[in-house]
PDB file of all heavy atoms in Angstrom:
ATOM      1  N   CYS A   8    -217.318   9.603 -42.572  1.00  0.00           N
ATOM      2  CA  CYS A   8    -216.030  10.276 -42.757  1.00  0.00           C
ATOM      3  C   CYS A   8    -215.138   9.505 -43.721  1.00  0.00           C
ATOM      4  O   CYS A   8    -214.511  10.093 -44.599  1.00  0.00           O
ATOM      5  CB  CYS A   8    -215.351  10.443 -41.395  1.00  0.00           C
ATOM      6  SG  CYS A   8    -213.684  11.144 -41.479  1.00  0.00           S
ATOM      7  N   GLU A  56    -200.109  10.057 -50.648  1.00  0.00           N
ATOM      8  CA  GLU A  56    -198.708  10.253 -50.978  1.00  0.00           C
ATOM      9  C   GLU A  56    -198.330  11.728 -51.070  1.00  0.00           C
ATOM     10  O   GLU A  56    -197.184  12.049 -51.351  1.00  0.00           O
ATOM     11  CB  GLU A  56    -198.388   9.553 -52.297  1.00  0.00           C
ATOM     12  CG  GLU A  56    -198.618   8.038 -52.258  1.00  0.00           C
ATOM     13  CD  GLU A  56    -198.296   7.383 -53.575  1.00  0.00           C
ATOM     14  OE1 GLU A  56    -197.948   8.124 -54.533  1.00  0.00           O
ATOM     15  OE2 GLU A  56    -198.384   6.143 -53.661  1.00  0.00           O
ATOM     16  N   ALA A  84    -211.569  12.945 -35.956  1.00  0.00           N
ATOM     17  CA  ALA A  84    -211.160  14.315 -35.629  1.00  0.00           C
ATOM     18  C   ALA A  84    -211.894  14.857 -34.414  1.00  0.00           C
ATOM     19  O   ALA A  84    -211.434  15.827 -33.805  1.00  0.00           O
ATOM     20  CB  ALA A  84    -211.399  15.229 -36.832  1.00  0.00           C
ATOM     21  N   ARG A 118    -207.548  22.235 -28.121  1.00  0.00           N
ATOM     22  CA  ARG A 118    -207.007  21.528 -26.948  1.00  0.00           C
ATOM     23  C   ARG A 118    -205.581  21.058 -27.191  1.00  0.00           C
ATOM     24  O   ARG A 118    -204.718  21.176 -26.311  1.00  0.00           O
ATOM     25  CB  ARG A 118    -207.897  20.327 -26.611  1.00  0.00           C
ATOM     26  CG  ARG A 118    -207.388  19.491 -25.432  1.00  0.00           C
ATOM     27  CD  ARG A 118    -208.242  18.262 -25.217  1.00  0.00           C
ATOM     28  NE  ARG A 118    -208.171  17.325 -26.328  1.00  0.00           N
ATOM     29  CZ  ARG A 118    -207.196  16.420 -26.499  1.00  0.00           C
ATOM     30  NH1 ARG A 118    -206.193  16.356 -25.627  1.00  0.00           N
ATOM     31  NH2 ARG A 118    -207.199  15.601 -27.532  1.00  0.00           N
ATOM     32  N   GLY A 124    -200.004  28.481 -30.880  1.00  0.00           N
ATOM     33  CA  GLY A 124    -199.927  27.539 -31.995  1.00  0.00           C
ATOM     34  C   GLY A 124    -200.872  27.951 -33.119  1.00  0.00           C
ATOM     35  O   GLY A 124    -201.760  28.790 -32.950  1.00  0.00           O
ATOM     36  N   ILE A 128    -207.004  25.640 -42.039  1.00  0.00           N
ATOM     37  CA  ILE A 128    -208.274  24.985 -42.348  1.00  0.00           C
ATOM     38  C   ILE A 128    -208.531  25.105 -43.837  1.00  0.00           C
ATOM     39  O   ILE A 128    -208.533  26.211 -44.393  1.00  0.00           O
ATOM     40  CB  ILE A 128    -209.430  25.619 -41.556  1.00  0.00           C
ATOM     41  CG1 ILE A 128    -209.172  25.513 -40.054  1.00  0.00           C
ATOM     42  CG2 ILE A 128    -210.760  24.949 -41.910  1.00  0.00           C
ATOM     43  CD1 ILE A 128    -210.211  26.231 -39.211  1.00  0.00           C
ATOM     44  N   THR A 167    -213.181  32.486 -33.360  1.00  0.00           N
ATOM     45  CA  THR A 167    -213.143  33.602 -32.411  1.00  0.00           C
ATOM     46  C   THR A 167    -213.717  33.192 -31.063  1.00  0.00           C
ATOM     47  O   THR A 167    -213.183  33.551 -30.001  1.00  0.00           O
ATOM     48  CB  THR A 167    -213.909  34.802 -32.979  1.00  0.00           C
ATOM     49  OG1 THR A 167    -213.326  35.180 -34.231  1.00  0.00           O
ATOM     50  CG2 THR A 167    -213.848  35.984 -32.020  1.00  0.00           C
ATOM     51  N   ARG A 203    -207.145  38.015 -57.717  1.00  0.00           N
ATOM     52  CA  ARG A 203    -206.859  39.449 -57.589  1.00  0.00           C
ATOM     53  C   ARG A 203    -208.126  40.290 -57.577  1.00  0.00           C
ATOM     54  O   ARG A 203    -208.230  41.253 -56.821  1.00  0.00           O
ATOM     55  CB  ARG A 203    -205.953  39.890 -58.725  1.00  0.00           C
ATOM     56  CG  ARG A 203    -205.564  41.353 -58.692  1.00  0.00           C
ATOM     57  CD  ARG A 203    -204.608  41.682 -59.825  1.00  0.00           C
ATOM     58  NE  ARG A 203    -203.410  40.861 -59.776  1.00  0.00           N
ATOM     59  CZ  ARG A 203    -202.457  40.873 -60.715  1.00  0.00           C
ATOM     60  NH1 ARG A 203    -202.587  41.665 -61.769  1.00  0.00           N
ATOM     61  NH2 ARG A 203    -201.399  40.091 -60.605  1.00  0.00           N
ATOM     62  N   ARG A 240    -203.218  69.334   8.334  1.00  0.00           N
ATOM     63  CA  ARG A 240    -202.575  68.199   7.663  1.00  0.00           C
ATOM     64  C   ARG A 240    -202.329  67.040   8.614  1.00  0.00           C
ATOM     65  O   ARG A 240    -201.346  66.348   8.523  1.00  0.00           O
ATOM     66  CB  ARG A 240    -201.267  68.620   6.990  1.00  0.00           C
ATOM     67  CG  ARG A 240    -201.463  69.588   5.839  1.00  0.00           C
ATOM     68  CD  ARG A 240    -200.178  69.810   5.069  1.00  0.00           C
ATOM     69  NE  ARG A 240    -200.389  70.685   3.941  1.00  0.00           N
ATOM     70  CZ  ARG A 240    -200.820  70.291   2.746  1.00  0.00           C
ATOM     71  NH1 ARG A 240    -201.086  69.020   2.559  1.00  0.00           N
ATOM     72  NH2 ARG A 240    -200.984  71.162   1.785  1.00  0.00           N
TER      73      ARG A 240
END
Side-chain angles (χ1 to χ4, degrees):
C8 175
E56 299 180 357
R118 178 185 65 82
I128 301 175
T167 302
R203 181 177 302 174
R240 294 189 177 275

